[in-house]
Amino acid sequence: MSELLQLLKRGNKSAMLAAIINTIISIIKGVAFIFTGNVAMFAETMHSLGDAANQFFVFIGSALSKKAPTEKYPNGFGRLVNLVLLGAVLIVGIMAFETIKEGYHHVVHPTKSSGFIINIVVLAVATLLETFVLFKAMKEILHDIEIEASGLQVFTKSLANLGKAKPATKLVFMEDLVATMGGVLAIIAVVISRFTGFHQIEGIASILIGALMFFVVGRVFLDNAAGVLGQADEEMENKIGMLVMEDPDVKDIQDITVIKEGEDLHVELEIEVDPSLTVAAADDIKDRLEEKIMAEKGVVDVTIEFDEEDDVKSWQSRSKTMVEK
């Protein structure tokens, strides 16, 4: 029990915060929908409910993925967060389908909803709360990649570096970006419906919100399917490769692989050295390189193999290809 509590303390904080806030938002929106019958509010209720459940599972998955390796699972549980995220997107997918279906029904059979002030106030408050969670997720992304920013740069830099963020943080960012956009769409739809009598707009807004939710489903599914399979981190391979080549005793790199499992990085390295080196000298090189590589954020283990120098510069050729990409 104490081990579980320790793991939960290490769970993704932005996911937990988002889950709590979205639970509160979904309850408020649900009550508003019951009183007003507004279909855009229904779409937003489903959206927030799906996000809350999703982000709660993400928090649990991110915490359990930090469990230490065992004899049965020597590579650890890093990919568990990817598996949980794959399951979590199913929830969003179901909610998105229901949202689109309800929106289509309202377009075909439009009805006038009541409670204009209630709808606007609830949607405005919910959108502000979603924006707050979105900002927190942006800060978390920048924290993950150790970048300082303030003001508008928080948004631009977090968006530019979204691919480098932890899987759980990335999902929270995407879901709350869509939720914020959905809230704005719902407000616009309610206002147009009220003052023009074009009640179908609420159904159209519901369909658009559902489509945005499906976009998140597709993006998160593709990202985490790659994570489950064990995706290579080419940027980190290049960074570690340059770090290794700085060592005066390393003549070349035959092969380097950095596998990303959840938030963990596993490094496998084959280097060329002078064949006349003693075993003791080779061991010193190994210890020195392991210490440097393990100091890189996210690296949990390093495997180093030695080969004799063959006068063919493999690393130069590979690093040139990386730069061209």
Side-chain angles (χ1 to χ4, degrees):
M1 188 64 180
S2 59
E3 182 185 2
L4 178 60
L5 290 174
Q6 289 299 319
L7 287 172
L8 290 176
K9 287 180 181 178
R10 298 172 62 190
N12 188 279
K13 292 180 177 59
S14 61
M16 191 66 225
L17 175 65
I20 293 170
I21 290 179
N22 273 304
T23 299
I24 296 169
I25 290 173
S26 64
I27 293 170
I28 295 171
K29 288 177 179 177
V31 172
F33 168 69
I34 291 171
F35 280 101
T36 66
N38 186 286
V39 71
M41 185 66 76
F42 172 80
E44 280 297 289
T45 302
M46 297 295 282
H47 191 176
S48 296
L49 192 61
D51 284 354
N54 204 355
Q55 289 155 355
F56 175 73
F57 284 119
V58 168
F59 169 74
I60 298 297
S62 67
L64 296 181
S65 69
K66 293 178 174 63
K67 181 176 171 62
T70 63
E71 188 175 328
K72 190 174 182 180
Y73 301 100
N75 291 328
F77 298 84
R79 298 189 195 188
L80 184 59
V81 67
N82 298 114
L83 287 170
V84 170
L85 286 170
L86 285 177
V89 296
L90 292 176
I91 298 173
V92 181
I94 293 169
M95 298 294 184
F97 173 76
E98 291 296 329
T99 299
I100 291 174
K101 186 176 76 172
E102 188 66 24
Y104 174 76
H105 178 77
H106 190 78
V107 170
V108 176
H109 306 287
T111 56
K112 183 180 179 181
S113 57
S114 59
F116 173 73
I117 299 298
I118 293 175
N119 286 325
I120 291 297
V121 170
V122 169
L123 288 171
V125 171
T127 302
L128 287 173
L129 289 173
E130 295 284 11
T131 304
F132 169 73
V133 176
L134 178 61
F135 179 75
K136 286 290 185 182
M138 291 178 190
K139 297 289 284 186
E140 187 78 15
I141 289 170
L142 298 179
H143 179 265
D144 287 350
I145 56 179
E146 299 178 338
I147 290 180
E148 295 290 334
S150 59
L152 187 60
Q153 285 188 332
V154 173
F155 176 76
T156 56
K157 288 189 176 182
S158 61
L159 192 62
N161 293 281
L162 182 60
K164 302 176 185 177
K166 296 175 182 177
T169 307
K170 188 189 299 184
L171 181 137
V172 172
F173 173 87
M174 291 181 63
E175 286 192 335
D176 280 284
L177 178 62
V178 168
T180 303
M181 293 168 62
V184 173
L185 276 175
I187 290 172
I188 293 171
V190 170
V191 171
I192 292 175
S193 176
R194 167 74 173 184
F195 293 104
T196 68
F198 181 47
H199 303 305
Q200 290 94 333
I201 190 66
E202 294 178 2
I204 294 171
S206 181
I207 291 171
L208 290 174
I209 291 167
L212 287 171
M213 292 166 71
F214 267 125
F215 169 76
V216 172
V217 169
R219 178 68 187 271
V220 173
F221 178 83
L222 290 175
D223 284 351
N224 288 279
V228 169
L229 294 173
Q231 186 179 24
D233 190 327
E234 292 188 1
E235 184 175 346
M236 187 58 77
E237 287 176 357
N238 191 39
K239 183 178 180 180
I240 292 176
M242 290 190 291
L243 183 150
V244 170
M245 288 301 295
E246 291 174 357
D247 192 289
D249 290 315
V250 176
K251 306 302 181 184
D252 196 13
I253 298 175
Q254 280 274 10
D255 191 30
I256 179 170
T257 304
V258 179
I259 299 296
K260 191 172 185 179
E261 296 188 350
E263 300 171 11
D264 298 337
L265 298 175
H266 303 269
V267 181
E268 296 179 5
L269 183 66
E270 186 177 352
I271 59 175
E272 293 181 10
V273 295
D274 188 333
S276 65
L277 284 176
T278 63
V279 173
D283 192 54
D284 288 340
I285 296 171
K286 180 175 179 291
D287 292 341
R288 191 165 63 234
L289 291 177
E290 281 184 349
E291 184 178 356
K292 287 183 179 179
I293 296 171
M294 287 294 290
E296 293 294 322
K297 189 172 183 179
V299 176
V300 294
D301 61 61
V302 182
T303 302
I304 300 177
E305 296 181 5
F306 291 93
D307 199 356
E308 62 181 0
E309 185 181 9
D310 61 6
D311 295 322
V312 177
K313 297 301 181 183
S314 303
W315 172 249
Q316 286 183 0
S317 175
R318 174 169 176 170
S319 58
K320 183 180 178 182
T321 303
M322 287 181 176
V323 170
E324 288 175 350
K325 285 182 179 180

